[in-house]
Amino acid sequence: MINPHPGLPELQYVKPATLKEASKFLAENVGTAKPYSGGTDSFVRLRDGVLKLDYLVDIKGLEGTKELSFDSKKGLTIGAAITMNQVACHPDVIKHYPNLAEAAGSVASYQLRNRATIIGNICNASPAGDTIGTCMILDGVLKVHGVDGVRDVPLNSFFLAPGRTVLKPGDVVVAIHLPPPPKGLVGTYKKLGRNRIGDLSIVGVAVAAYPSSDSASGYRFRIALASVAPVPFESFKAEGVLSGKKITAELIDEAAVAAMDSVTPIDDVRGSARYRKQMVKNLTREALTEVWTKLSK
Ligand SMILES: Cc1cc2nc3c(=O)[nH]c(=O)nc-3n(C[C@H](O)[C@H](O)[C@H](O)COP(=O)(O)OP(=O)(O)OC[C@H]3O[C@@H](n4cnc5c(N)ncnc54)[C@H](O)[C@@H]3O)c2cc1C
């Protein structure tokens, strides 16, 4: 009989002193060891028996993982140990990347956000990850430490499939770096869950926009979608609609339809594929209208 109240299985807690030690240990124990930060995904999967490990490698405190810093020339760096609440409440994030503060604040409940991290959200590679789309349209780049040293991985080339990324054995993501925000940036994150707090998204729509002389419309729009494809992705199709002509309510409608046409959702316990598609259209229209209203003031 399945135990309805399973506990965590026995495993070893490993606390390496350096990134080098962490990467070496992880590379020597492929399949039996994983890094973790907040543990809000890992512990649930271990408890449910979906994930089986001998070692959990705590990366909190390793070089660079506790950094949360902003510089107007360099941008924002968020270390792997930085929690959702730290991001959502940080004055520089609220001021320069308000859409990221909003996305981080949309994750689960306050209590969970005290443990959950942005890097954990990204590395878990769930199609529903609430902060991924916003980090993507802000041109996030991951700093990854592996057995051969450090390398940069742009977020838009990080995801392969649900739960699968380009990370290799021994890799530890140290931080995510976002370049300085474009001048005049306005953004939002629209999330549809089954309830207001504590649930994964049925649909997530991240929008950012700013004045741009490179675009015939005079503005550049970025749109990323969650929970409606195998991985979170940027809808270039919808963005393209908004680049060529004067922005109007009709053009926003057209872009919302293009966003809907770019998704490939599945039916699951949280919603049907058909419902998700419709809600992509509605939420994209809502997000674009809100952003455009602020931009055109
Ligand atoms: C009740 C509940 C509600 C939730 N609600 C939401 C929600 O609304 N929205 C949402 O997006 N998510 C939600 N989640 C999922 C989860 O909380 C988030 O994905 C969270 O951001 C994960 O961060 P973490 O630090 O806890 O990850 P962890 O559990 O520590 O790690 C997650 C995965 O990333 C890997 N990993 C972690 N850190 C690193 C690193 N530095 N380098 C390489 N790999 C790493 C781990 O090996 C693991 O595979 C919820 C979870 C629970 C239990």
Side-chain angles (χ1 to χ4, degrees):
M1 193 174 106
I2 295 171
N3 179 357
H5 302 291
L8 273 180
E10 288 267 326
L11 42 77
Q12 301 275 330
Y13 169 84
V14 179
K15 182 87 179 162
T18 61
L19 280 169
K20 202 169 169 194
E21 205 179 299
S23 289
K24 184 167 179 286
F25 185 87
L26 287 163
E28 285 169 357
N29 294 280
V30 179
T32 55
K34 278 193 89 158
Y36 87 100
S37 193
T40 62
D41 276 313
S42 306
F43 288 174
V44 174
R45 300 187 72 227
L46 284 162
R47 182 202 61 188
D48 292 350
V50 190
L51 176 64
K52 293 190 194 316
L53 294 176
D54 294 332
Y55 308 100
L56 261 183
V57 180
D58 189 348
I59 56 87
K60 294 186 288 294
L62 296 177
E63 312 96 280
T65 58
K66 288 198 169 170
E67 179 175 352
L68 177 54
S69 65
F70 175 73
D71 178 288
S72 59
K73 292 203 173 64
K74 292 186 192 148
L76 181 72
T77 300
I78 304 170
I82 300 298
T83 66
M84 295 287 178
N85 274 343
Q86 284 175 291
V87 172
C89 299
H90 196 279
D92 282 325
V93 180
I94 293 170
K95 184 170 174 196
H96 302 288
Y97 307 87
N99 50 333
L100 180 59
E102 189 184 355
S106 79
V107 172
S109 59
Y110 184 85
Q111 288 82 349
L112 191 114
R113 291 195 294 273
N114 271 343
R115 294 291 306 177
T117 63
I118 298 261
I119 297 299
N121 199 228
I122 292 170
C123 293
N124 194 50
S126 159
D130 276 316
T131 61
I132 297 173
T134 301
C135 289
M136 215 176 242
I137 58 178
L138 290 171
D139 291 322
V141 176
L142 298 171
K143 180 176 164 190
V144 180
H145 184 282
V147 280
D148 299 323
V150 179
R151 66 186 193 281
D152 286 341
V153 180
L155 197 54
N156 61 14
S157 60
F158 185 68
F159 302 102
L160 298 175
R164 283 188 51 224
T165 70
V166 299
L167 289 180
K168 295 186 292 203
D171 281 349
V172 175
V173 177
V174 181
I176 183 164
H177 179 73
L178 307 179
K183 205 161 181 285
L185 174 78
V186 175
T188 189
Y189 180 63
K190 297 286 171 215
K191 170 175 175 173
L192 175 70
R194 286 173 300 184
N195 50 44
R196 275 204 163 274
I197 55 162
D199 197 21
L200 294 170
S201 57
I202 298 171
V203 170
V205 177
V207 167
Y210 51 91
S212 166
S213 54
D214 296 342
S215 160
S217 71
Y219 296 89
R220 172 105 198 260
F221 281 82
R222 308 279 300 268
I223 302 165
L225 305 169
S227 272
V228 286
V231 296
F233 74 103
E234 192 168 350
S235 177
F236 299 117
K237 205 169 168 181
E239 292 175 4
V241 172
L242 297 161
S243 66
K245 283 192 237 166
K246 189 171 179 289
I247 309 294
T248 59
E250 291 70 31
L251 201 66
I252 285 176
D253 277 350
E254 213 182 292
V257 172
M260 179 178 75
D261 290 343
S262 65
V263 304
T264 51
I266 55 164
D267 296 319
D268 71 10
V269 286
R270 279 174 288 125
S272 66
R274 189 162 162 266
Y275 177 60
R276 283 190 155 100
K277 271 190 141 249
Q278 289 300 321
M279 292 317 286
V280 167
K281 184 175 74 179
N282 294 358
L283 292 191
T284 304
R285 188 199 299 115
E286 192 182 319
L288 288 172
T289 305
E290 183 182 313
V291 162
W292 176 238
T293 305
K294 285 188 195 159
L295 257 186
S296 56
K297 259 190 190 155

